[in-house]
Amino acid sequence: MIETLGVVGAGQMGCGIAQVAATAGFPVVLNDLSDEHLQAGLATIGGNLARAVQKGQLAEDQRRDALARIRTAVDYTGLGDCDLVIEAATENEPAKRKLFADLCSAIKPGALLASNTSSISITRLASVTDRPERFIGIHFMNPVPRMQLVELIRGIQTEADTFTAALAFIAALGKTATVSEDFPAFIVNRILLPMINEAVYTLHEGIGSVDAIDTAMRLGANHPMGPLQLADFIGLDTCLAVMQVLHEGLADSKYRPCPLLVKYVEAGWLGRKTQRGFYDYRGETPIPTR
Ligand code: NAD
């Protein structure tokens, strides 16, 4: 039975997960590397909840109660009373492996562990923990409060009880689960990220400008966002990391990350979160950077 939730990583996904769980009535402990990250995360959640009240989607007392359910902790010992800890830290396998190994000694023996990874093998991440049978992939979509889907991914070692508890937790959040086998990037990103990568190749090869590519896919394929706008929204570092996992994991050159995507990441232009990516967000309206 999951009562208290821990979330490791207070970036865009961790904050979204914390917000949705707290709104659904779960006490949440939010962890990140520094108090600065945590305060920025709380400010984001506070702003999102206030906007939901303004739009009439949430009552004022629900906003207040949700915020009051979120505690912060700069180290993993603060997660000691959590029944489920979801990791939503940077998409980097060595960093996640270290994080999970460290986390195990701080959480209670029966606690479930989950990763929100976009692409990395759940079986491999589970293998560095002391409880691979209680480890599962719970992959939320961005932005978490708006997106209905959650992908559930069982590692080879995941036990049926862990899967059932995760399913019940997702239902309690009012979300819909799909099940994916544990192969690189699962279902959504196996399909979505190669499309985004192809859009970057289309830009790289000079076939169209940022504006032409995004307008073409919005108006020509009826996508709510153009692929380059979506890449900026996801984070270009995350997009590149997913393509690298697909490329290495499936050993097929069709997943080769576009060199232009690599260049943007090397420049530190990671999209919205750094205010520059395929668009420049520093002014009133986003301006294409190519
Ligand atoms: P982000 O860069 O916004 O946030 C990552 C956060 O993790 C940062 O605040 C960072 O300080 C923190 N962090 C890093 N190492 C840590 C550690 N050892 N302990 C505690 N905190 C740590 O990234 P994000 O977009 O929120 O992505 C997080 C995860 O969710 C990734 O695995 C990503 O693949 C996955 N994901 C992302 C999206 C998306 O659209 N961005 C969608 C679904 C899943």
Side-chain angles (χ1 to χ4, degrees):
M1 176 81 178
I2 293 163
E3 282 171 3
T4 301
L5 176 70
V7 179
V8 176
Q12 50 181 345
M13 293 307 292
C15 286
I17 296 166
Q19 179 185 326
V20 165
T23 307
F26 290 93
V28 178
V29 185
L30 185 59
N31 163 272
D32 205 301
L33 297 170
S34 71
D35 197 48
E36 213 181 341
H37 280 108
L38 289 168
Q39 293 314 318
L42 281 182
T44 305
I45 296 171
N48 287 345
L49 289 172
R51 256 193 309 282
V53 172
Q54 275 165 12
K55 288 184 186 161
Q57 297 161 342
L58 202 67
E60 172 53 26
D61 58 340
Q62 288 175 305
R63 180 197 69 83
R64 199 194 46 227
D65 293 350
L67 267 184
R69 285 189 197 104
I70 304 176
R71 281 182 284 144
T72 59
V74 198
D75 53 58
Y76 298 149
T77 49
L79 301 165
D81 64 347
C82 295
D83 305 298
L84 164 67
V85 178
I86 304 180
E87 169 275 319
T90 314
E91 187 77 346
N92 173 298
E93 183 166 342
K96 284 192 197 283
R97 290 169 79 105
K98 171 158 192 337
L99 184 163
F100 278 118
D102 293 346
L103 194 55
C104 284
S105 56
I107 59 176
K108 59 185 181 186
L112 299 181
L113 273 176
S115 177
N116 185 53
T117 176
S118 300
S119 59
I120 299 167
S121 163
I122 296 304
T123 300
R124 275 205 309 273
L125 291 176
S127 73
V128 303
T129 73
D130 58 0
R131 64 196 78 198
E133 67 290 346
R134 299 181 73 74
F135 191 105
I136 191 161
I138 305 184
H139 180 219
F140 289 84
M141 306 292 132
N142 187 18
V144 182
R146 282 235 310 275
M147 303 298 275
Q148 186 57 32
L149 185 75
V150 180
E151 286 185 306
L152 270 186
I153 307 106
R154 271 175 288 210
I156 205 166
Q157 319 94 321
T158 310
E159 276 179 354
D161 285 354
T162 306
F163 178 73
T164 311
L167 254 188
F169 173 68
I170 292 166
L173 300 183
K175 304 271 185 209
T176 305
T178 51
V179 177
S180 165
E181 288 298 322
D182 186 21
F183 286 98
F186 320 124
I187 296 173
V188 173
N189 286 334
R190 169 80 179 258
I191 299 169
L192 186 63
L193 264 298
M195 184 204 69
I196 288 176
N197 193 48
E198 200 61 30
V200 186
Y201 270 115
T202 311
L203 179 68
H204 183 51
E205 292 170 13
I207 297 164
S209 64
V210 167
D211 187 48
I213 293 165
D214 276 352
T215 304
M217 293 306 284
R218 271 192 295 107
L219 304 186
N222 242 3
H223 289 188
M225 278 178 148
L228 301 172
Q229 194 188 0
L230 179 57
D232 275 358
F233 186 68
I234 293 170
L236 303 190
D237 53 339
T238 302
C239 291
L240 176 60
V242 174
M243 287 313 298
Q244 285 165 336
V245 169
L246 280 168
H247 193 217
E248 281 159 27
L250 298 170
D252 187 332
S253 62
K254 76 178 177 181
Y255 298 112
R256 191 168 66 98
C258 179
L260 185 62
L261 178 61
V262 176
K263 193 178 275 192
Y264 270 74
V265 172
E266 285 172 349
W269 290 14
L270 307 183
R272 275 182 179 274
K273 63 184 168 188
T274 58
Q275 300 219 299
R276 258 195 287 192
F278 292 114
Y279 293 83
D280 185 334
Y281 300 92
R282 291 172 300 169
E284 291 232 318
T285 45
I287 298 168
T289 52
R290 286 179 99 80

